[in-house]
Amino acid sequence: MSDELRVPQPTDESIRSMLVTLERDADLTLSPIERLFLATDGTVTHMLEALTRGDVSVSILDRAVADNRLFRTVALVPDAERNPLVWARSTVRLSPLADTVADELVDGEIGIGDVLREECTETRREIVEMNVHSTADRFPSFVESDAACLLERTYQIYAADTRIMTITEYFPKDRLSTYRTP
């Protein structure tokens, strides 16, 4: 496989149809907040801060560099709580990135979206998959949650028509919906 991965051709599957299919196939109903988090192409950390009305920390659970790629696993934790709201696993191609971006991702303690924004890196995101995992399916080993099921989405980040990152995020079903206006 070539190290240079080009932008795939657009598909007919819209985000809306992905959500409808997920709900139908998993026989569940997503809350409006869950649909927004699954469908966003924005920075999840900022969305969580808006939702919780507080700071959200990025806790690095694991990080390794091999073959010019960064493999990173994180948990996003509201500062007022102990339990993560989101877990994420990312694979980052380091060679196409500016040295400052690559260094911050390898050594830093902030979210990918914040690194890209601080370095003024122009990117776009494409959601490629949505899934549901029940406790019977066994959650990924780095996810510590008592939730009955996890919502999962995978998206890719592109810069200059080249895929530079693949990120999979896991959200506990019904946990995000507990945040309501007073």
Side-chain angles (χ1 to χ4, degrees), residues 148-159:
C149 69
L150 292 176
L151 303 174
E152 172 196 320
R153 75 176 187 142
T154 299
Y155 61 97
Q156 297 169 335
I157 298 179
Y158 293 85

Side-chain angles (χ1 to χ4, degrees), residues 3-156:
D3 196 38
E4 189 165 317
L5 303 170
R6 292 290 172 191
V7 176
Q9 294 298 314
T11 64
D12 290 336
E13 189 162 32
S14 70
I15 298 300
R16 186 182 69 233
S17 68
M18 290 174 80
L19 290 166
V20 168
T21 301
L22 179 68
E23 286 183 306
R24 182 192 65 227
D25 291 353
D27 192 27
L28 59 80
T29 300
L30 298 170
S31 72
I33 290 174
E34 290 167 340
R35 289 194 306 272
L36 286 172
F37 271 87
L38 285 168
T40 187
D41 61 2
T43 303
V44 170
T45 305
H46 290 187
M47 288 182 61
L48 289 172
E49 289 175 338
L51 181 67
T52 64
R53 295 184 174 118
D55 292 332
V56 171
S57 297
V58 176
S59 174
I60 308 291
L61 304 175
D62 188 43
R63 177 173 27 205
V65 176
D67 298 325
N68 202 34
R69 285 178 163 68
L70 168 66
F71 302 92
R72 187 170 105 153
T73 306
V74 303
L76 302 179
V77 185
D79 285 352
E81 301 179 28
R82 283 201 188 114
N83 297 321
L85 290 177
V86 176
W87 293 265
R89 178 183 305 167
S90 57
T91 302
V92 180
R93 292 181 53 235
L94 298 171
S95 59
L97 300 175
D99 290 343
T100 55
V101 173
D103 291 346
E104 183 62 33
L105 290 173
V106 170
D107 299 324
E109 300 293 325
I110 63 174
I112 288 173
D114 288 330
V115 171
L116 296 174
R117 183 180 295 93
E118 285 179 8
E119 296 295 329
C120 298
T121 304
E122 290 189 38
T123 61
R124 73 172 184 83
R125 299 171 191 217
E126 179 180 307
I127 298 169
V128 295
E129 189 173 18
M130 294 178 192
N131 288 303
V132 175
H133 296 277
S134 71
T135 51
D137 298 330
R138 296 185 53 195
F139 296 161
S141 61
F142 59 90
V143 174
E144 294 182 17
S145 175
D146 60 359
C149 69
L150 292 176
L151 303 174
E152 172 196 320
R153 75 176 187 142
T154 299
Y155 61 97
Q156 297 169 335

